[in-house]
Amino acid sequence: MKGTKRKEHNLPLYIMALPGILIIAIFSYLPMPGIILAFKDYDFSNGVFGSRWVGLENFKFFFESGVAWRLIRNTVGLNLLFMVTVQICAVFTALLLNEIYEYRIAKVYQSILFFPHVISWVIVGYFTYAFLETDTGLINNILFHFGIEKIAWYSEPKYWPAILNFISLWKGLGYFTIIYLAGMITIDQEYYEAIRVDGGNKWHEMRYVTLPFIKPLIYINVLLALGRVFYGNFDFFVNVVRNTGQILSTTDIIDTYVVRTLTVLGDFNMAAAAGLFQGVCGFIVLLISNWIIRRFDSESALF
Amino acid sequence: MAKNNRLMKIIIIIVFIPICLISVIPLWTIFVASFTQDKAIADYGYQLWFKAFSLEAYEYLFVNPDLIVDAYLISIIVTSIGTVLGVFFMSMLAYTMAHRKFKLAKGLGFYVLIPMLFSSGVVPYYILVTQYLHLKNTIWILIFPYLINPFSIMILRSNFRRLPQSLFEAAELDGAGEFQRFFKIALPLSIPTMATIALFSAITYWNDMYQALLFIDKQNLYPLPYLLYRMIFEHNIIQEAAQYTGIITPYQSVRMAVAVLSLIPELFLFMFAQRFFIRGITLGALKGE
């Protein structure tokens, strides 16, 4: 395409790009100067720029309040736990489904496993409650049936990392299984035949053909998850945990803390400091993970 | 060997039955509870099968439609306007980004990317929306924030890049302007990708309660997920709808019935559009292509 150099030629393109540019400008870029609030004592009447400068005071409060460490541990720790569980289970599930992919039932299974992905977190919170409520919950009913004493799930923090991990797996398994399965389907059958000619069995096929082929996909998914390790899923935690005080020690993450501090306590300063801390940590981790992705598969890097 | 293989396949097929059951049982429990007498839930707890079958929750909603009609309407309006506008805006932007002659194309790539890298946090966003944009308690704040999704833009951009250039050149020779080329060539050829993007948009809108939680405190503007969320903590939302009827309010089962009703459109979307979902996920995973 050799372009004529008339200037008005590009005008329609500018017009087409404009609505998108504006939306991104307003909702993604305009808030950015607001990060200085983390260094200020925000006062409605004075506005963002007129409020009193307090330096690192807000951060000092945030880190001295004792919750900071807990929030970082929960956010990062749970994210890592979720990632490892979901990726291992999804690879395993995809390997199994790949073996039966010639049957229609494999596609049915794939769809059923994926279905939880489209369910809203509110609904997830609803059935979590239906399962775990102390007196009416399904799990306790079953425990009771077998003569095991009921457990007050919503006041026992120690169970929650496992519960949350299970829910995250329930919701994410199908999604990642589809990604891995899509990668496996493209593998040339010749490789498998070569293994069979050499007298290899199914295990050898998985070990020496399938897994090596989807390895890049696994790396990418792991690194993408690592890049977001400082960001929790607000909707997930707020609906499943429901701000239940007794279990916050293992379930409170930066995202829920910030929104709670802002909307319930109205403490803009602390929330802004915690939010900026998260943004900066998230940024650094993302840059590192992207740098690693780039090194072995530049196609999959974010930039 | 062949026999062994078949046995293994049968075992795999059987192994997946309980796994798939775990995927659906949670929703089934909600469904059952919505058809159970409220009192039975309190007495016997949640069940996997209909113990005291009752339509009282649905009757209650039918007699007191106010409780959900508003929320349903808000969710439908937000989802449809948001999805249509969003796909339109994103397609136009991605089209210019894929355009070879457009000088801004590369710069726009970075412009879209940067917000994915750094988030300024909730507080600056909250103050911007409430103090400067004055969008608190308006339907627009439920729509605007999700119009543009960077990942969708990347997918659309690589879609437009893959279209055969010769078609555009031919159209240009025939005197077709940029708009015509976009609407008459690029869009019709991109319908599968746009359907995929639209589906993901629609699900985002239908499920979201984050914006409402931050910015909506008028009940007549609650979208469905947020209404469900508020109903957990505030029994009076359900009760207020009943204040003229004088019957005892079946709190538990009504909540579950609203949950079921909110799931129905999603279930249909899912059943009819599965291949687009799967397409979208694989496109996203292989975004570089």
Side-chain angles (χ1 to χ4, degrees):
Chain A
M1 253 177 157
K2 279 182 193 160
T4 46
K5 281 195 177 163
R6 278 177 300 151
K7 223 180 176 179
E8 73 269 27
H9 214 77
N10 270 341
L11 187 64
L13 289 173
Y14 284 107
I15 295 172
M16 279 193 236
L18 192 64
I21 291 177
L22 279 180
I23 296 284
I24 297 175
I26 295 170
F27 289 92
S28 300
Y29 284 92
L30 267 188
M32 283 185 186
I35 58 174
I36 59 162
L37 276 172
F39 307 98
K40 290 190 164 216
D41 179 15
Y42 182 60
D43 176 2
F44 278 100
S45 50
N46 293 330
V48 173
F49 301 101
S51 292
R52 192 169 60 91
W53 188 265
V54 293
L56 293 173
E57 202 82 337
N58 296 331
F59 291 93
K60 217 175 120 199
F61 273 117
F62 175 57
F63 284 103
E64 281 175 0
S65 68
V67 290
W69 160 240
R70 187 178 89 180
L71 294 174
I72 297 165
R73 182 199 64 195
N74 288 346
T75 312
V76 176
L78 288 171
N79 271 333
L80 290 176
L81 180 68
F82 296 168
M83 176 194 75
V84 170
T85 314
V86 155
Q87 298 305 332
I88 290 177
C89 293
V91 169
F92 196 68
T93 310
L95 280 174
L96 291 182
L97 281 181
N98 190 38
E99 290 302 318
I100 55 167
Y101 205 70
E102 73 237 48
Y103 301 110
R104 264 190 85 169
I105 188 104
K107 277 139 211 154
V108 176
Y109 285 160
Q110 176 182 286
S111 300
I112 295 176
L113 291 179
F114 175 61
F115 183 55
H117 184 75
V118 299
I119 302 299
S120 72
W121 286 107
V122 182
I123 305 282
V124 176
Y126 268 57
F127 67 65
T128 306
Y129 184 79
F131 274 71
L132 297 181
E133 209 277 326
T134 310
D135 294 319
T136 57
L138 199 60
I139 304 275
N140 273 352
N141 267 335
I142 295 169
L143 290 182
F144 188 71
H145 191 80
F146 289 105
I148 304 167
E149 212 166 309
K150 292 185 169 184
I151 297 171
W153 301 100
Y154 283 95
S155 42
E156 293 278 3
K158 62 175 183 236
Y159 296 119
W160 281 85
I163 295 170
L164 294 170
N165 193 27
F166 181 81
I167 295 171
S168 137
L169 176 65
W170 181 82
K171 211 156 186 306
L173 180 67
Y175 182 87
F176 288 104
T177 300
I178 287 176
I179 292 181
Y180 291 126
L181 209 46
M184 290 177 190
I185 291 162
T186 57
I187 300 174
D188 200 324
Q189 285 300 318
E190 278 175 28
Y191 294 102
Y192 293 111
E193 268 152 39
I195 294 271
R196 264 172 248 149
V197 168
D198 291 344
N201 56 24
K202 274 285 161 212
W203 163 247
H204 292 119
E205 288 178 25
M206 288 181 189
R207 175 72 185 76
Y208 296 109
V209 180
T210 320
L211 279 180
F213 260 98
I214 59 163
K215 224 191 216 163
L217 278 180
I218 301 176
Y219 287 158
I220 299 297
N221 282 328
V222 167
L223 286 165
L224 284 179
L226 283 181
R228 301 210 42 91
V229 83
F230 272 94
Y231 291 97
N233 186 331
F234 176 81
D235 280 23
F236 174 6
F237 282 80
V238 84
N239 278 297
V240 171
V241 175
R242 297 184 168 178
N243 285 326
T244 313
Q246 295 104 303
I247 54 171
L248 281 186
S249 60
T250 56
T251 61
D252 202 16
I253 55 169
I254 304 175
D255 305 71
T256 44
Y257 171 82
V258 169
V259 173
R260 193 173 61 243
T261 310
L262 177 72
T263 57
V264 181
L265 306 175
D267 186 344
F268 283 73
N269 303 334
M270 192 92 117
L276 183 60
F277 172 74
Q278 180 185 37
V280 171
C281 291
F283 181 64
I284 295 169
V285 172
L286 195 71
L287 286 188
I288 296 172
S289 82
N290 190 72
W291 180 74
I292 302 173
I293 295 179
R294 245 193 122 80
R295 290 203 54 176
F296 70 89
D297 181 12
S298 58
E299 286 286 278
S300 305
L302 214 50
F303 53 91
Chain B
M1 186 73 191
K3 208 175 176 188
N4 246 340
N5 250 339
R6 174 173 287 170
L7 183 67
M8 190 193 75
K9 284 176 184 177
I10 292 172
I11 292 174
I12 293 177
I13 288 175
I14 294 170
V15 162
F16 269 100
I17 294 173
I19 298 177
C20 287
L21 276 179
I22 293 174
S23 283
V24 290
I25 281 177
L27 299 170
W28 174 251
T29 313
I30 291 181
F31 184 75
V32 169
S34 76
F35 284 102
T36 302
Q37 261 179 30
D38 196 52
K39 205 177 158 308
I41 298 179
D43 291 348
Y44 311 116
Y46 292 91
Q47 303 285 334
L48 286 175
W49 196 250
F50 307 93
K51 192 155 192 166
F53 185 87
S54 154
L55 289 172
E56 67 176 355
Y58 292 93
E59 275 165 20
Y60 181 86
L61 287 174
F62 193 75
V63 179
N64 306 287
D66 290 359
L67 180 62
I68 55 163
V69 167
D70 280 348
Y72 230 95
L73 276 179
I74 293 288
S75 273
I76 289 173
I77 293 170
V78 166
T79 304
S80 40
I81 295 182
T83 305
V84 172
L85 270 188
V87 171
F88 186 53
F89 288 173
M90 284 192 283
S91 302
M92 288 197 298
L93 181 58
Y95 176 80
T96 68
M97 287 164 66
H99 204 291
R100 292 179 184 185
K101 275 195 290 183
F102 195 38
K103 270 187 245 151
L104 276 187
K106 200 165 182 210
L108 281 176
F110 282 105
Y111 182 74
V112 172
L113 178 76
I114 290 169
M116 291 170 89
L117 305 182
F118 178 74
S119 147
S120 47
V122 187
V123 177
Y125 176 63
Y126 182 84
I127 290 171
L128 173 76
V129 171
T130 54
Q131 304 295 309
Y132 296 88
L133 302 175
H134 302 290
L135 290 174
K136 196 175 160 81
N137 282 320
T138 63
I139 198 164
W140 303 111
I141 194 57
L142 301 176
I143 296 176
F144 288 151
Y146 300 118
L147 283 178
I148 306 287
N149 177 314
F151 273 110
S152 299
I153 292 203
M154 305 283 181
I155 292 173
L156 282 164
R157 182 177 65 177
S158 57
N159 163 81
F160 287 127
R161 275 184 185 158
R162 275 198 308 271
L163 298 179
Q165 279 303 309
S166 52
L167 284 177
F168 293 94
E169 283 160 23
E172 198 174 9
L173 286 178
D174 288 344
E178 201 64 62
F179 285 116
Q180 270 175 313
R181 276 175 274 162
F182 174 68
F183 283 106
K184 297 229 166 102
I185 301 173
L187 282 196
L189 288 174
S190 309
I191 285 174
T193 308
M194 287 169 64
T196 306
I197 301 298
L199 200 62
F200 278 92
S201 252
I203 292 290
T204 303
Y205 278 114
W206 190 262
N207 284 345
D208 186 69
M209 54 163 260
Y210 183 63
Q211 305 296 335
L213 181 130
L214 285 177
F215 302 117
I216 304 290
D217 40 46
K218 285 188 185 150
Q219 202 188 319
N220 60 355
L221 279 174
Y222 286 178
L224 263 178
Y226 193 55
L227 177 74
L228 279 164
Y229 178 75
R230 298 302 294 220
M231 276 163 50
I232 301 168
F233 306 104
E234 296 163 32
H235 279 184
N236 60 337
I237 291 183
I238 304 176
Q239 209 165 21
E240 265 166 29
Q243 57 190 342
Y244 304 111
T245 55
I247 51 170
I248 299 163
T249 317
Y251 293 116
Q252 297 284 354
S253 53
V254 163
R255 258 188 250 166
M256 295 299 169
V258 178
V260 169
L261 291 176
S262 82
L263 273 169
I264 289 174
E266 231 162 359
L267 205 63
F268 276 102
L269 257 186
F270 182 75
M271 287 198 300
F272 291 117
Q274 266 188 66
R275 64 195 176 99
F276 289 117
F277 274 119
I278 290 171
R279 211 186 118 88
I281 294 169
T282 31
L283 277 180
L286 315 166
K287 95 178 197 328
E289 47 144 11

